Amino acid sequence: SYELTQPPSVSVSPGQTARITCSGDALPKQYAYWYQQKPGQAPVLVIYKDSERPSGIPERFSGSSSGTTVTLTISGVQAEDEADYYCQSADSSEKVFGGGTKLTVL
Amino acid sequence: EVQLVESGGGLVKPGGSLRLSCAASGFTFSSYSMNWVRQAPGKGLEWVSSISSSSSYIYYADSVKGRFTISRDNAKNSLYLQMNSLRAEDTAVYYCARDQLGQDYMDVWGKGTTVTVSS
């Protein structure tokens, strides 16, 4: 199995841009997906196929990919964006999650 | 409304067994692959198992292989996870999640059911 590596925490002030990275050797060959999870709630998909945004997800959420690293960008961060964010990918028969990044809005 | 509702969690002793269920509604359950994902207290998400729409393909994480069995009943719109030989490290919230059609990501999640393995 392979691993996805995320920074444990990212902090930004309201209105700034937050960037959360996810690194993994399989990412050049496999799509990455991003989930937002708030305390006591189930995860919610915010980005799929590296950069696609599901309906209902604010435009300030975007994704990009470069080599072995994918990035979730939240532009104009709002207090409600404070949450844990997980990247996920798949390699043939298994799904893998990154360790998660806690986004703190200062 | 598309919905997944898990049930069957509880307190079980190490070495014991538990069967989780997930009731699906609001979509054609038989068309979708399904997953179980767990989250230990204060920890991150861990994929546990997947099953294809017709049960032809079944996959497990190494951490549960040989102890857990995923299954589904398309006539009852239900997904199951039979958990045997439970260990303390299996303590977690267990989520049922739907794969988007033909994709490797999960677009619909249940609220989860809590499993506690303790003597």
Side-chain angles (χ1 to χ4, degrees), chain B residues 4-62:
Chain B
L4 298 171
V5 179
E6 302 92 338
S7 61
L11 175 63
V12 60
K13 289 181 169 54
S17 298
L18 211 56
R19 188 194 196 206
L20 305 183
S21 299
C22 171
S25 59
F27 65 100
T28 305
F29 179 73
S30 59
S31 296
Y32 290 82
S33 295
M34 299 294 296
N35 306 270
W36 288 100
V37 176
R38 69 184 180 183
Q39 186 170 35
K43 303 297 185 182
L45 300 173
E46 179 188 15
W47 169 78
V48 172
S49 182
S50 297
I51 185 168
S52 63
S53 57
S54 60
S55 304
S56 298
Y57 301 97
I58 289 175
Y59 307 109
Y60 298 99
D62 288 343

Side-chain angles (χ1 to χ4, degrees), chain A residues 35 37 42 49 88 93 95, chain B residues 35 39 99 103-104 106 110:
Chain A
Y35 303 88
Q37 187 182 35
K49 290 186 178 180
Q88 178 245 311
S93 62
K95 293 180 169 68
Chain B
N35 306 270
Q39 186 170 35
D99 269 351
Q103 305 296 324
D104 286 323
M106 293 158 277

